């Protein structure tokens, strides 16, 4: 009986176009048919018509507002493939798993044909419940279909799980990246604030140093000059006085002179940080010779020492006054710490290394012990007490080191080949204007 109903439904689908053409009561017959029937738009998959039997079988109140994808358990791609096969008439008998309104899953057989109704391509399908059949062959086929659908569903579930895990990992990585970015922004803002505070503090310090330099030039120098002037006048008046008075006057004179020199060196040191240097291409040999021949501080050195210059000296890109100051201090340092038992010999040489010029000032004097070779470049650093034999303020080499720092230059000391000291420093070459 059931097989007869199935065959009748299949024939009905085939004959529906004839009924629609032959009689105007097609719609009424479609509605009154005992087997579930519907029409599906081949383009969108929408259920555009469904009879009462279809409403009763599926249990949906809005069946004609649904899409086949909401009922069929195949994947969207598989549904598209089945609709295409039915539309091309390559398959008109299908088995599907459909979900009913109450949540139950039914394996249904579908007899379907393509038709054109009112200019719309539709599939008219007659549906039957396969659970009503007891044929072993039919049951075996349906079971095979169910297994395939189960495998496809399991694959979809696994893919969904993988997608979910990938999304979770991506979200976690994104959250971590955002957290890291926020942390970096916080640190950058804090660093910016610290830099602004440091710049502000340095600005105040520079202004203080500038004011201190002006004070050194005017307020400090003026008392020292007056002390020197009045001590010299007092010395002339007490030449015939007692030896104790003469000694006191001499002490006042020498100390006031040392105070004046100390103030002048401190002022010069401060000016290196406040007065911008004037960089230009310089003839190093000419400047060295001029310093050696004209500086009054080197007058005693010229009487007893002949300066040796390993020509040619490479040209440099530097401030002229500061280069003269460097040579004057290093030459005077060689003279002041010479050995009394042998003639002083000083050799100056220069070698271009990349975009820098490395100078060497060698002497055969007393030298500097290795443990003091960093200390002597500090301010007010002296390895021997101040005396008439070794006068000075301890600022000379500190001035050299600070002048070199303007161009990232460095100065160091090592044993000289003549047994004394060798000062090594570098400056930008004339071909590297930085």
């Amino acid at each position: 009986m059931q097989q007869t109903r199935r065959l009748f439904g299949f024939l009905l689908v085939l004959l529906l176009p004839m009924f629609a053409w032959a009689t105007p009561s097609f719609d009424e017959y479609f509605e009154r048919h005992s087997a579930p029937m519907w029409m599906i738009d081949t383009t969108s998959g929408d259920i555009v018509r469904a009879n009462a039997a279809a409403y009763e079988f599926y249990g949906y109140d809005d069946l004609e507002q649904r899409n086949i994808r909401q009922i069929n358990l195949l994947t969207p791609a598989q549904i598209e493939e089945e609709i295409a096969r039915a539309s091309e008439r390559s398959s008109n008998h299908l088995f599907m798993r459909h979900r009913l309104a109450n949540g139950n899953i039914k394996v249904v057989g579908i007899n379907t044909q393509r038709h054109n109704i009112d200019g719309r391509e539709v599939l008219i399908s007659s549906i039957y419940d396969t659970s009503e059949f007891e044929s072993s062959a039919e049951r075996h086929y349906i079971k095979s279909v169910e297994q395939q659908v189960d495998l496809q569903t399991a694959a979809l579930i696994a893919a969904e799980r993988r997608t979910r895990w990938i999304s979770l990992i991506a979200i976690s990585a994104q959250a971590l990246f955002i957290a890291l970015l926020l942390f970096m922004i916080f640190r950058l803002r804090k660093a910016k604030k610290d830099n602004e505070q440091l710049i502000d503090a340095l600005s105040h310090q520079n202004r203080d140093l500038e004011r201190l330099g002006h004070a050194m030039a005017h307020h400090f120098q003026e008392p020292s000059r007056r002390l020197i002037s009045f001590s010299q006048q007092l010395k002339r008046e007490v030449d015939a006085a007692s030896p104790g008075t003469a000694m006191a006057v001499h002490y006042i004179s020498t100390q006031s002179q040392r105070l004046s020199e100390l103030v002048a060196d401190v002022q010069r040191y401060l000016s290196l940080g406040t007065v911008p240097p004037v960089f230009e291409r310089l003839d190093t040999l000419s400047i060295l010779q001029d310093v050696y021949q004209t500086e009054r501080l080197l007058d005693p050195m010229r009487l007893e020492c002949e300066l040796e210059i390993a020509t040619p000296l490479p040209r440099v890109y530097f401030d002229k006054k500061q280069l003269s100051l460097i040579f004057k201090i290093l030459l005077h340092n060689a003279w002041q710490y010479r050995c009394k038992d042998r003639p002083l010999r000083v050799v100056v040489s220069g070698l271009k290394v990349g975009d820098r010029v490395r100078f060497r000032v060698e002497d055969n004097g007393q030298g500097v012990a290795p443990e003091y070779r960093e200390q002597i470049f500090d301010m007010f650093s002296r390895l021997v007490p101040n005396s008439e034999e070794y006068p000075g303020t301890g600022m000379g080499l500190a001035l050299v080191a600070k002048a070199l720092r303007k161009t990232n230059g460095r100065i160091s000391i090592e044993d000289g080949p003549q047994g004394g000291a060798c000062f090594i420093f570098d400056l930008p070459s004339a071909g590297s204007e930085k």
Side-chain angles (χ1 to χ4, degrees):
M1 179 64 180
Q2 296 295 339
Q3 291 179 350
T4 303
R5 289 176 59 189
R6 175 186 172 192
L7 179 60
F8 179 75
F10 179 70
L11 293 175
L12 177 63
V13 170
L14 296 177
L15 296 175
L16 273 177
M18 298 174 59
F19 292 158
W21 174 81
T23 174
S25 62
F26 165 72
D27 290 341
E28 294 181 3
Y29 185 81
F30 185 85
E31 292 295 338
R32 292 198 303 266
H33 196 276
S34 59
M37 297 184 66
W38 59 25
M39 293 183 189
I40 297 177
D41 190 310
T42 59
T43 303
S44 63
D46 292 334
I47 302 173
V48 297
R49 290 282 300 276
N51 65 0
Y55 272 92
E56 181 181 358
F57 178 74
Y58 286 99
Y60 294 105
D61 295 333
D62 57 346
L63 187 60
E64 292 183 355
Q65 281 76 48
R66 289 181 171 267
N67 189 285
I68 188 60
R69 297 173 182 83
Q70 298 173 282
I71 297 175
N72 201 319
L73 296 185
L74 293 179
T75 65
Q78 292 171 328
I79 294 174
E80 295 289 346
E81 183 181 352
E82 293 295 341
I83 292 177
R85 289 170 57 195
S87 299
E88 296 169 359
R89 302 182 187 276
S90 60
S91 175
N92 57 8
H93 187 197
L94 309 172
F95 290 96
M96 303 286 185
R97 294 208 322 175
H98 285 183
R99 179 182 287 109
L100 307 185
N102 58 11
N104 292 337
I105 305 300
K106 286 285 189 179
V107 178
V108 298
I110 303 173
N111 294 304
T112 184
Q113 288 291 328
R114 185 183 68 174
H115 298 283
N116 190 305
I117 297 179
D118 297 330
R120 173 186 285 184
E121 289 288 335
V122 297
L123 295 176
I124 300 178
S125 304
S126 175
I127 304 163
Y128 61 93
D129 184 359
T130 60
S131 60
E132 299 177 358
F133 299 97
E134 298 180 356
S135 169
S136 59
E138 190 78 16
R139 183 71 63 182
H140 176 75
Y141 179 76
I142 293 172
K143 183 178 180 181
S144 175
V145 172
E146 288 178 338
Q147 289 175 348
Q148 292 178 10
V149 173
D150 288 339
L151 290 174
Q152 293 165 351
T153 304
L156 286 174
I157 293 173
E160 183 180 359
R161 287 176 179 171
R162 285 194 300 271
T163 303
R164 194 174 301 162
W165 274 107
I166 292 173
S167 300
L168 182 60
I169 293 172
I171 292 172
S172 300
Q174 187 177 19
L176 181 61
F177 176 77
I178 292 173
L180 181 61
L181 185 62
L182 291 175
F183 176 73
M184 292 177 63
I185 291 173
F186 173 77
R187 291 295 299 272
L188 287 174
R189 286 181 177 176
K190 187 176 183 302
K192 181 181 178 182
K193 185 178 179 180
D194 292 343
N195 286 339
E196 290 174 351
Q197 292 175 349
L198 180 60
I199 291 172
D200 185 62
L202 290 175
S203 177
H204 284 291
Q205 290 181 7
N206 286 336
R207 286 196 293 269
D208 291 341
L209 289 175
E210 188 174 355
R211 285 193 292 268
L212 182 58
H214 288 302
M216 288 288 183
H218 302 288
H219 303 294
F220 288 11
Q221 279 287 16
E222 184 61 25
S224 63
R225 280 196 295 265
R226 289 183 180 182
L227 280 172
I228 294 172
S229 175
F230 284 113
S231 66
Q232 290 174 349
Q233 181 180 348
L234 185 60
K235 183 179 181 181
R236 288 191 296 270
E237 294 177 0
V238 299
D239 280 343
S242 63
T245 303
M247 182 180 297
V249 172
H250 176 72
Y251 179 79
I252 293 173
S253 177
T254 55
Q255 292 304 308
S256 60
Q257 182 66 37
R258 184 171 186 275
L259 176 61
S260 178
E261 293 172 356
L262 185 61
V263 170
D265 282 346
V266 172
Q267 179 190 357
R268 191 177 294 112
Y269 186 86
L270 293 175
S271 68
L272 288 177
T274 57
V275 178
V278 179
F279 290 99
E280 54 184 320
R281 293 186 180 89
L282 301 176
D283 184 346
T284 311
L285 177 61
S286 174
I287 291 175
L288 175 60
Q289 291 174 335
D290 181 67
V291 168
Y292 184 68
Q293 296 297 331
T294 61
E295 279 292 337
R296 294 183 57 186
L297 188 65
L298 301 179
D299 287 346
M301 181 179 177
R302 287 194 297 272
L303 297 175
E304 300 183 18
C305 172
E306 184 66 30
L307 178 65
E308 299 181 27
I309 302 175
T311 56
L313 293 180
R315 295 167 63 89
V316 297
Y317 186 69
F318 197 56
D319 183 274
K320 183 177 181 179
K321 291 182 179 179
Q322 293 185 16
L323 183 58
S324 299
L325 176 67
I326 290 171
F327 281 135
K328 180 180 74 171
I329 292 173
L330 293 180
L331 292 177
H332 181 261
N333 191 79
W335 165 254
Q336 184 161 304
Y337 296 101
R338 67 193 183 279
C339 289
K340 306 297 184 184
D341 57 349
R342 60 185 175 190
L344 176 64
R345 183 169 179 262
V346 179
V347 180
V348 180
S349 61
L351 177 66
K352 190 173 184 300
V353 181
D355 60 352
R356 311 283 292 186
V357 177
R358 183 178 300 161
F359 293 97
R360 297 171 64 90
V361 180
E362 306 169 3
D363 62 58
N364 62 344
Q366 300 176 20
V368 179
E371 61 267 26
Y372 299 118
R373 290 178 181 177
E374 293 291 335
Q375 175 186 334
I376 61 174
F377 297 109
D378 295 335
M379 291 189 297
F380 310 112
S381 177
R382 291 180 58 84
L383 301 184
V384 295
N386 181 67
S387 63
E388 290 187 3
E389 186 178 5
Y390 297 106
T393 61
M395 290 291 294
L397 294 178
L399 283 167
V400 173
K402 187 170 184 179
L404 292 173
R405 282 198 293 269
K406 288 287 185 179
T407 59
N408 297 321
R410 293 177 56 84
I411 183 169
S412 60
I413 185 172
E414 61 183 33
D415 292 330
Q418 306 176 65
C422 177
F423 287 90
I424 304 170
F425 65 95
D426 63 289
L427 291 171
S429 70
S432 59
E433 302 180 12
K434 295 183 179 179

